[in-house]
Amino acid sequence: MVVAEIKPFTEISNMLKPYKRILVLGCGTCMAVCLSGGKRQVELLASAIRMAKKINENSDDILIGERTIGRQCEPKFVDQIKDESSQYEVILSMGCGAGVQELTERLNSIVVLPAMNTKFIGVADSEGNFFEMCAACGDCILSLTGGICPVTRCPKGLLNGPCGGTKNGKCEVSSDIPCAWVLIYERMKQLGKLDEIKKTIGPKDWGKDQKPDKYILKEKSETVTVK
């Protein structure tokens, strides 16, 4: 999932100073799962904005709306709020950066502002702590590293073993970070594939990480004939 955290309230308040009619818009997928921009967080942020506006501006013209759609990054969900959004001056998006930009593209007559700082693609442990797992580099090597990504999980992105700073299985950058290459070694050992760890991984093709990247789903997929 895409993981994001809400911006400091002071930063959000400053962005919203010129506006009186505001729609706080949540995202029901990634942001809801990582408990940062789903329906409940929309309710809390909208209430805080409403209270701050009432105290600081003392105006009867303030309108703070609340809405959460399935995904802000898909046109069919964004189109659901086209009519509703016309009554607002600004949409405060609690989606990721992709969601903010999709809203901007689809609702081009209204200002869209980000309430979130998009952090990374990651997973959560059972306690709701989120960890980065994928850099979306476009050139996946997980088949060579036991399913553990050194590009993301090694702060130096080393492709062929640890640096000299690893100690007791931890990274020299922080004792909270397991050394990715120790994890890879243990995993390959568990799989009985330690010989494969000796193979050199060639330079990554960073050309596949072109910005802005795109992925076009072909209309007609190739068929496989079994004889």
Side-chain angles (χ1 to χ4, degrees):
M1 83 188 87
V2 176
V3 177
E5 65 179 2
I6 190 167
K7 289 177 176 289
F9 188 71
T10 301
E11 183 178 344
I12 294 173
S13 293
N14 287 336
M15 286 192 295
L16 295 176
K17 272 184 180 176
Y19 307 104
K20 295 184 182 297
R21 302 193 308 277
I22 302 162
L23 175 61
V24 181
L25 185 65
C27 182
T29 309
C30 298
M31 298 303 102
V33 174
C34 70
L35 306 177
S36 57
K39 184 178 180 182
R40 178 58 178 156
Q41 290 74 41
V42 166
E43 292 173 353
L44 293 173
L45 181 57
S47 295
I49 294 170
R50 207 171 282 124
M51 186 176 297
K53 286 281 187 184
K54 185 175 181 180
I55 293 172
N56 298 325
E57 300 179 20
N58 192 27
S59 170
D60 294 330
D61 299 330
I62 293 171
L63 173 63
I64 311 297
E66 305 172 18
R67 181 76 185 272
T68 299
I69 58 177
R71 282 187 287 278
Q72 293 189 12
C73 58
E74 276 196 44
K76 66 180 181 182
F77 292 102
V78 175
D79 288 348
Q80 294 174 358
I81 61 164
K82 268 190 171 178
D83 293 338
E84 180 182 353
S85 64
S86 62
Q87 64 182 305
Y88 298 98
E89 298 172 281
V90 61
I91 293 176
L92 181 64
S93 167
M94 297 192 75
C96 69
V100 172
Q101 294 180 71
E102 178 64 15
L103 291 168
T104 300
E105 290 278 339
R106 303 290 295 182
L107 308 172
N108 54 20
S109 62
I110 188 170
V111 175
V112 181
L113 298 174
M116 315 295 289
N117 290 323
T118 303
K119 301 288 286 182
F120 51 75
I121 299 173
V123 300
D125 65 15
S126 58
E127 297 178 347
N129 301 308
F130 297 91
F131 304 94
E132 185 175 13
M133 289 290 179
C134 178
C137 69
D139 186 24
C140 188
I141 58 170
L142 288 173
S143 63
L144 306 175
T145 57
I148 296 167
C149 179
V151 177
T152 303
R153 300 178 68 177
C154 168
K156 298 176 182 177
L158 298 179
L159 298 181
N160 289 288
C163 67
T166 183
K167 185 177 180 181
N168 298 325
K170 302 294 184 181
C171 177
E172 66 175 349
V173 172
S174 171
S175 59
D176 293 333
I177 303 175
C179 172
W181 275 100
V182 171
L183 294 177
I184 291 169
Y185 175 86
E186 296 294 341
R187 179 63 175 160
M188 297 296 269
K189 183 179 179 181
Q190 183 184 32
L191 296 174
K193 294 184 175 182
L194 271 183
D195 284 347
E196 295 185 18
I197 207 173
K198 298 175 183 176
K199 296 177 182 176
T200 300
I201 299 175
K204 282 183 62 63
D205 182 0
W206 291 108
K208 295 180 179 177
D209 193 26
Q210 178 185 328
K211 306 295 182 187
D213 206 347
K214 63 181 178 181
Y215 171 67
I216 308 297
L217 187 64
K218 294 178 180 177
E219 291 185 0
K220 296 181 180 179
S221 59
E222 294 181 359
T223 57
V224 178
T225 303
V226 179
K227 296 181 179 179

